[in-house]
Amino acid sequence: MLAWDDWRQPSGVGRTPVVAALVLGATAGAVAVPAAGDLGTLLVALELATLPTVALVVLADPRWTSGGRAGAVDGAVSLLTTSLVSFGLMALGAAFWVAATGTALLAVPTTDDTGLLAVAAVLLLAGLAFKVSAVPFHAWTPVTYARAPLPVTAYLATVSKVAALGGLVVLVRALGTVDGTTLLAVALLAALSMTVGNLVALGQVDTVRLLAWSTVAQAGWVLLPLAALSSRAVHAAGSYLVVYVVGTLLALVVVVAVARPATGGPVTTGPGTALTAHRGLVRTRPLLGLPLALALLTLAGLPPAVLGLVAKIVALRPVAADGTWWLAVVAALNVALGIAVYVRWVAVLLQTPDPAPALQATSPGDRADGDGDDAQEGAARPRVPVREGVLVSVLTAVVVVGSVTPFGVL
């Protein structure tokens, strides 16, 4: 996140140190979640991973319009409200856990009060479902993603999901062997998230909102293997999360590069992030269009992005081995829905691009001059910052290498 130019613009309030402190604080919380051994540590680590991101969302670029700043405040309030409700549910679940087991340790519980333990499990899962953007706790995701600064959107779509998965793994490991309610709840969350996310994403015309609903659908795939009592479930969920993070981050970096104004202004959601702004991108700007197409095929699980295909197979394997066939059927149907979501975007990338206005106004004699066309075309396109170019190159290389040898996912 610190590589984005938006944070490095001149300002009299010292934005860069503030952003650095907030990002490091949120990242520290995300790292601490999977290592939590008791409920107190889990709650504190999750909030440490969440609350700094609220400040990052509201920390709009000083060059934004008043409407953009107001939208950032709306997105931050939505995220803050969600975080408070999530924390309240998890605190209540922790109280029931202690009442049922007599301890706050996240070990396999021993209790005779299975009903109270089941209530604790449902409340804790509901709180974590807010963090991972699982249905029906997903409403904050499209609002916050669309109104936050785009670098913060990328952070929320990737690092915060790592923290949420860490919390889910800790909880499922503790409860999965003694309480079937936990696994059933995870299965329902996965099925609902995949289906609702893909169906709503099909109707989106803005790339950021499409990726927001894609996050909801992909959250279902991350949850999918955790619904099975399998030794491979945690590995499968973690592997899929890594593939999702790489694909989504690559797509968002390209979206930001395409949306960057030619005048050098701030990058915000709007006409530059519309799906129509990507028409013919593979032909006009192949160094951005091809990596974006590869990222979308990774999320869809289609060749030549074999990495995404292998990740989906690995996520389905624990469910099939456990015999939860209804969930496997729902996942298979959502594979087709997901392909429709991402191929629709890829088709836009491959379309014939709209003629540039400057070229339309040029006389036939001027059109014969190739140098003049190149000069006008270059002037109409903003230069991609070196940092974004490096990010696109590195992430594309990761996808290509992972597709050639996807052994780390297996």
Side-chain angles (χ1 to χ4, degrees):
M1 265 190 64
L2 298 179
W4 300 91
D5 283 343
D6 289 344
W7 303 126
R8 301 174 61 86
Q9 297 297 330
S11 175
V13 294
R15 289 171 54 83
T16 302
V18 174
V19 172
L22 292 172
V23 170
L24 291 175
T27 305
V31 171
V33 169
D38 60 88
L39 289 168
T41 303
L42 179 64
L43 291 174
V44 172
L46 279 170
E47 291 311 298
L48 179 59
T50 303
L51 291 179
T53 60
V54 177
L56 286 171
V57 171
V58 80
L59 194 62
D61 193 293
R63 300 169 294 166
W64 282 20
T65 63
S66 58
R69 289 194 292 270
V73 172
D74 289 343
V77 170
S78 176
L79 179 57
L80 178 61
T81 304
T82 298
S83 176
L84 293 176
V85 173
S86 171
F87 182 81
L89 288 173
M90 293 194 67
L92 187 59
F96 279 115
W97 176 291
V98 174
T101 64
T103 179
L105 295 177
L106 284 168
V108 177
T110 55
T111 179
D112 295 328
D113 197 343
T114 55
L116 197 59
L117 186 62
V119 173
V122 170
L123 290 172
L124 288 169
L125 274 177
L128 288 169
F130 274 108
K131 309 291 187 185
V132 80
S133 300
V135 174
F137 311 103
H138 65 287
W140 67 275
T141 307
V143 176
T144 304
Y145 279 27
R147 297 179 179 179
L150 290 181
V152 179
T153 298
Y155 188 88
L156 288 171
T158 53
V159 178
S160 65
K161 298 300 177 284
V162 174
L165 177 64
L168 284 167
V169 168
V170 169
L171 183 63
V172 171
R173 275 180 171 175
L175 285 174
T177 57
V178 297
D179 180 31
T181 306
T182 304
L183 298 179
L184 178 60
V186 172
L188 290 174
L189 288 173
L192 286 172
S193 299
M194 284 188 286
T195 305
V196 174
N198 282 325
L199 287 176
V200 179
L202 275 172
Q204 299 302 310
V205 295
D206 182 87
T207 55
V208 176
R209 285 188 173 273
L210 192 154
L211 287 173
W213 286 104
S214 165
T215 297
V216 175
Q218 297 294 337
W221 280 97
V222 173
L223 291 171
L224 180 68
L226 297 180
L229 278 175
S230 170
S231 58
R232 295 180 174 180
V234 174
H235 171 76
S239 298
Y240 193 91
L241 181 66
V242 171
V243 174
Y244 155 77
V245 166
V246 173
T248 300
L249 188 57
L250 177 55
L252 278 169
V253 173
V254 175
V255 166
V256 172
V258 174
R260 186 174 299 281
T263 57
V267 182
T268 59
T269 55
T273 59
L275 202 58
T276 53
H278 289 221
R279 182 175 288 118
L281 192 65
V282 169
R283 303 185 183 188
T284 58
R285 305 177 74 177
L287 294 181
L288 293 178
L290 290 175
L292 178 56
L294 188 63
L296 296 174
L297 293 175
T298 300
L299 295 173
L302 288 176
V306 179
L307 182 64
L309 175 62
V310 173
K312 280 184 164 51
I313 294 173
V314 169
L316 273 169
R317 190 163 51 185
V319 177
D322 197 49
T324 314
W325 293 109
W326 70 268
L327 184 57
V329 170
V330 172
L333 292 175
N334 274 280
V335 169
L337 282 175
I339 289 174
V341 170
Y342 300 111
V343 169
R344 171 172 166 253
W345 191 347
V346 173
V348 173
L349 298 177
L350 297 174
Q351 290 176 1
T352 302
D354 294 329
L359 296 178
Q360 287 179 326
T362 307
S363 64
D366 292 336
R367 283 185 189 144
D369 187 355
D371 294 337
D373 284 349
D374 292 339
Q376 290 174 352
E377 190 176 2
R381 294 177 187 169
R383 181 175 178 271
V384 178
V386 175
R387 297 176 187 85
E388 291 176 13
V390 171
L391 279 173
V392 170
S393 302
V394 171
L395 292 170
T396 302
V398 170
V399 174
V400 171
V401 173
S403 296
V404 174
T405 56
F407 299 115
V409 179
L410 295 171

